[in-house]
Amino acid sequence: MIIVLKTQTPEKGIEEIRNRVLMLGCQIHESKGVNYHIMGLVGETSNIDPDSLKANPNVEKLIRVQEPYKMVNRLFHPDDTAITVKGQTIGGGSFAVIAGPCSVESEEQIVGIAEDVKKAGAGFLRGGAFKPRSSPYSFQGMREEGLDLLKIASEKTGLPIVTELMSTAHLDTFIENVDVIQIGARNMQNFELLKEIGQTNKPILLKRGLSATIEELLMAAEYVVAAGNKNVILCERGIRTFENYTRNTLDLSAIPVIKKLSHLPVIVDPSHASGLWWLVEPMAKAALVVGADGVMIEVHNDPVNAKCDGQQSIKPERFSELMENLKQLAVIQNKVMH
Ligand code: PEP
Ligand code: MN
C-alpha cells in the first residue's frame, strides 16, 4: 500500500501517520521528490483500515500495490535510482559501460585489457575470478588470485571492479576488494545469497536468470532491497527460448518494461545474450536506443585463445569503434557518457 501525502503536510502530521502505521506492524519506505512525498508500506498492511487513513486531512490518496514486489516498484519510488561508484554513475540519465574479459587469466592480460578499455572510454572493469561454468572440467577461474589481479588492474587504471560472487564464503573478501558485486544468472534465485548481499551496502549487479520472467527478476531484486541494500542494478543478459542460433535470446523489450515497473537502473549484456562477437555491436546499440542505463561487454585481446567465452568477445580495437558509435547514439538519446 502507498500513502500519498499532501504536498504541504507539516512534519508533525507526517510523524503522526508514521507512528500510526508503525504501530500496526508495517515498515515504511519513504520517498520524496520535488512535488511528492509518499510512504510505501510493506508488512502487515492488512491491519490498516484504509477508510481511517483516507479521513486524515494530510492524506492525498491511498494506492494498493498489486505487484508482489514493493520496494523496487516504481510506485514506491517514482524517480529513477542512480548508483554512483568511484565517480561513475549507473542510472538517472547516464549510460555506463562495463568492459573486460570473461575471466581473469593473467596479470598481463587483465592489465592490458583494462588499459585498452579505459582508453576507449569504459567506466568499469569486468573480469570473472570465480566462474560459474556448466562443466566441472572447464576452467573455474583464478579465484582469489584473480581478485588480486583485478585489483592491480583497477589501481593502474582507476576503473572500479565488477566481478561475480558465487558463495557467501567469499563475501568478506568481496566487500573488501570489489566495487560492484555481480550475481550471475545461475544464482539469481539463490535467495540465501541474495539475503546476505542485501545486508551489505555494496552495489549489486543482478543478472536475469536463464529462464526467469521479468517479475522473477524484480522479486530477486526485492530480496536484496528488502534486506537493506538499495544499490541494485539489473541486467538483461538474454533468456532461453527455442531459438538456438544465438546462445540466448536478448529480450530487448524487457528494458522499457522494467523501466515502467521499477525505478532500478537496468543494463544489457549483449555478449552473453548473443554468444556471437559480431552481434555484440548491433545489440549494444539497440540496448542504448531502447533506454538501457548501460551495457556490459566482454573484451579480450586474444579471443581465439581465451579461456572462456572467446566466441562472444570482441577485441579492444573493435570495442573502441563501438564506443565511438555509442557516444554518437548517446547524444541523440539524451544520455550522458563520460
Ligand atoms: C558473466 O557475466 O561472466 C556470466 C557468467 O554471465 P551470466 O551469469 O549472465 O551467464
Ligand atoms: Mn562470459
Side-chain angles (χ1 to χ4, degrees):
M1 185 185 282
I2 286 173
I3 306 174
V4 182
L5 297 169
K6 294 227 168 98
T7 37
Q8 302 302 330
T9 306
E11 189 49 40
K12 192 163 162 274
I14 299 172
E15 197 56 31
E16 206 179 278
I17 298 173
R18 251 186 226 131
N19 290 339
R20 180 133 163 241
V21 167
L22 290 172
M23 249 170 49
L24 292 169
C26 293
Q27 293 132 35
I28 308 174
H29 176 84
E30 275 183 60
S31 125
K32 259 189 205 174
V34 187
N35 294 315
Y36 64 88
H37 185 153
I38 63 177
M39 288 182 184
L41 311 189
V42 284
E44 287 304 320
T45 50
S46 55
N47 290 343
I48 290 179
D49 171 15
D51 290 338
S52 81
L53 264 181
K54 278 189 213 152
N56 187 314
N58 290 320
V59 172
E60 175 79 40
K61 62 177 171 179
L62 288 186
I63 305 169
R64 280 232 171 258
V65 181
Q66 305 296 339
E67 295 83 13
Y69 47 89
K70 313 287 178 193
M71 320 270 269
V72 307
N73 200 310
R74 196 175 272 285
L75 290 171
F76 266 52
H77 190 289
D79 294 335
D80 284 346
T81 285
I83 295 165
T84 300
V85 189
K86 292 193 171 157
Q88 297 288 333
T89 301
I90 305 185
S94 59
F95 190 78
V97 179
I98 304 169
C102 180
S103 309
V104 180
E105 298 172 15
S106 68
E107 178 170 340
E108 195 190 355
Q109 177 242 20
I110 192 67
V111 172
I113 297 174
E115 283 169 345
D116 287 343
V117 299
K118 160 95 185 190
K119 198 152 77 188
F124 296 81
L125 174 66
R126 67 150 283 147
F130 295 87
K131 292 302 302 176
R133 303 306 300 276
S134 298
S135 165
Y137 308 116
S138 303
F139 174 59
Q140 303 287 308
M142 291 182 79
R143 305 175 66 83
E144 281 86 354
E145 201 187 337
L147 289 184
D148 292 342
L149 299 183
L150 276 170
K151 273 195 90 171
I152 295 174
S154 172
E155 273 155 23
K156 288 214 164 133
T157 56
L159 294 177
I161 300 168
V162 182
T163 193
E164 178 165 354
L165 173 74
M166 292 204 291
S167 158
T168 53
H170 305 124
L171 187 54
D172 291 342
T173 320
F174 270 61
I175 291 174
E176 204 177 311
N177 299 299
V178 168
D179 300 297
V180 177
I181 298 180
Q182 177 175 325
I183 299 297
R186 289 153 194 83
N187 271 317
M188 187 203 85
Q189 285 190 315
N190 183 337
F191 300 117
E192 289 302 314
L193 185 58
L194 298 178
K195 284 184 213 167
E196 291 271 345
I197 56 166
Q199 284 171 34
T200 75
N201 58 8
K202 279 274 165 190
I204 306 297
L205 178 63
L206 179 63
K207 299 190 85 176
R208 183 175 180 181
L210 308 180
S211 304
T213 63
I214 292 170
E215 185 167 290
E216 284 163 341
L217 171 61
L218 292 173
M219 288 307 287
E222 184 83 8
Y223 262 90
V224 182
V225 179
N229 187 349
K230 293 182 177 165
N231 306 312
V232 180
I233 303 143
L234 304 170
C235 180
E236 162 59 39
R237 46 78 72 205
I239 47 171
R240 290 230 164 131
T241 65
F242 54 80
E243 181 54 70
N244 60 10
Y245 187 88
T246 45
R247 180 175 179 175
N248 292 291
T249 299
L250 177 56
D251 182 7
L252 274 177
S253 61
I255 306 305
V257 171
I258 289 170
K259 287 266 156 220
K260 183 177 161 70
L261 300 177
S262 176
H263 53 89
L264 295 177
V266 54
I267 68 165
V268 167
D269 171 351
S271 310
H272 290 89
S274 67
L276 296 164
W277 65 267
W278 53 272
L279 275 177
V280 171
E281 171 157 356
M283 294 301 100
K285 289 192 214 161
L288 195 154
V289 173
V290 297
D293 296 297
V295 281
M296 177 153 88
I297 304 214
E298 285 189 338
V299 178
H300 200 286
N301 55 317
D302 183 12
V304 174
N305 292 304
K307 289 202 169 159
C308 183
D309 287 350
Q311 80 290 351
Q312 65 193 35
S313 301
I314 56 173
K315 288 189 172 178
E317 307 84 71
R318 193 171 285 277
F319 175 71
S320 197
E321 283 166 28
L322 168 60
M323 287 298 285
E324 288 314 310
N325 289 332
L326 289 175
K327 280 176 199 160
Q328 287 178 21
L329 275 180
V331 175
I332 302 169
Q333 297 292 319
N334 246 331
K335 291 267 190 191
V336 180
M337 262 177 97
H338 299 288

